Amino acid sequence: MTTKLLYGNLIAKEIRNEISKIIEKEILNKDKRIPHLGIILTGNNSSSITYVNNKIKECKNIGIKYSLIHLPINSLENELLEEIKKMNKNPHIDGFIVQFPLEKNINQDKIILSINPKKDVDGFHPENFGKMALDIKTFFPATALGILTLLERYKIKISGKYTVIIGRSRIVGRPISILMSRKSNFGNSTVTLTHSKTPNIEYYTKQADIIIVAVGIPGFLKGEMIKKGAIVIDVGIHSNEKKILGDVDFYSVYGKASYLTPVPGGVGPMTRVMLLKNTLMAALNNRQKDK
Ligand code: NAP
């Protein structure tokens, strides 16, 4: 079977152009402040530094202003809370993110709860997470929104389809399971959310029309675990000196799936551009209030 690749990098480029046009029309032409994203990074985790650098590059490409606060390794929880307080109060910051994972001495829940939900462009605060579950307009977590936008732009219908998600993390698996099962846009799929305690995952994946793999194990989903014609979305990113791999065993799935996201160039660029989209949404909300 011919497998079509879902090029997130091409769709992300399309969306970047759309965002630039909106910034020009709704902000620059009306002499309003350009959108401003805050980023708080803690410690020296190399993956986190790479993710943050990529986000900064995206901001620069598109003309979104950014401010980076980098707290050194072994920073205290209070120091991070203090920076969050400043971002919450700063009227020039439209939205901000705290890059995860945090160091072990910092309580992640406390950090998420301290972010002003109106500036929570990652969509992790319970107020935004709750709104997402209740079909109320809000910021959606970037990876989940990125995957659904990718499917939408390729005109792949999810309504009525059976979706199996592997991995239930707060940032990927769980939000996507909520969005895809909603009775609204991006929804109406029948969703099974699997995880490390699910026995016999192949039982589910073999029946699935759509499989989303966010398990954090390179090559986890093999061709023999899917049915012919399934749509496979690979969220995983693993890099070694030689190459970047995903959570899907690309070569055994390619030729059996109808659609497949490549790694790199699939979900990653979509995630990054959705953060910009959320930042634009926060900025437009704020400029509305400035009137
Ligand atoms: P995570 O927080 O480590 O969660 C992994 C999930 O997989 C957990 O729910 C875990 O189950 C489940 N799991 C682990 N082993 C399993 C097994 N043998 N069988 C079934 N389920 C299993 O990971 P994450 O943050 O969601 O990230 C997943 C992957 O996506 C990583 O490679 C990460 O780098 C990548 N990622 C990519 C992007 C992007 O933009 N492309 C964005 C975010 C993350 P339990 O809940 O039971 O522990």
Side-chain angles (χ1 to χ4, degrees), residues 55-229:
K55 287 168 188 173
I56 289 175
K57 207 159 110 193
E58 291 277 354
C59 288
K60 285 181 178 165
N61 281 342
I62 216 170
I64 284 183
K65 225 173 145 182
Y66 73 92
S67 294
L68 171 68
I69 303 292
H70 191 169
L71 294 175
I73 192 161
N74 295 330
S75 296
L76 300 173
E77 189 175 273
N78 275 348
E79 292 171 291
L80 176 54
L81 287 168
E82 202 44 51
E83 292 303 333
I84 291 174
K85 218 187 253 175
K86 286 188 208 158
M87 292 264 182
N88 281 340
K89 276 192 194 151
N90 185 338
H92 298 293
I93 299 278
D94 291 300
F96 67 97
I97 60 158
V98 176
Q99 183 66 45
F100 291 112
L102 300 171
E103 288 178 60
K104 290 206 167 55
N105 60 325
I106 299 178
N107 179 330
Q108 178 175 305
D109 289 349
K110 209 165 163 182
I111 297 308
I112 291 175
L113 284 166
S114 69
I115 297 172
N116 175 352
K118 294 193 171 46
K119 293 192 174 189
D120 169 39
V121 285
D122 259 341
F124 296 156
H125 189 283
E127 185 174 316
N128 292 321
F129 221 81
K131 282 182 173 171
M132 173 176 68
L134 296 172
D135 291 355
I136 299 170
K137 192 173 178 225
T138 189
F139 303 113
F140 296 151
T143 304
L145 183 58
I147 292 169
L148 293 171
T149 306
L150 185 63
L151 292 170
E152 188 185 46
R153 297 279 169 129
Y154 272 94
K155 302 199 178 353
I156 296 172
K157 279 203 163 169
I158 62 170
S159 174
K161 300 249 170 83
Y162 177 46
T163 300
V164 170
I165 300 164
I166 312 179
R168 58 178 164 187
S169 72
R170 287 176 178 194
I171 63 164
V172 187
R174 206 162 327 161
I176 198 154
S177 73
I178 293 171
L179 285 170
M180 290 184 84
S181 57
R182 296 191 323 168
K183 191 176 180 176
S184 68
N185 240 1
F186 287 154
N188 292 316
S189 186
T190 305
V191 177
T192 297
L193 182 59
T194 65
H195 44 77
S196 69
K197 303 289 183 287
T198 307
N200 196 7
I201 283 196
E202 307 90 283
Y203 170 79
Y204 304 96
T205 54
K206 276 180 180 164
Q207 299 174 60
D209 302 310
I210 304 175
I211 307 170
I212 298 176
V213 197
V215 72
I217 302 173
F220 181 86
L221 186 83
K222 311 260 187 291
E224 73 239 26
M225 294 166 73
I226 72 167
K227 73 174 182 189
K228 206 171 150 197

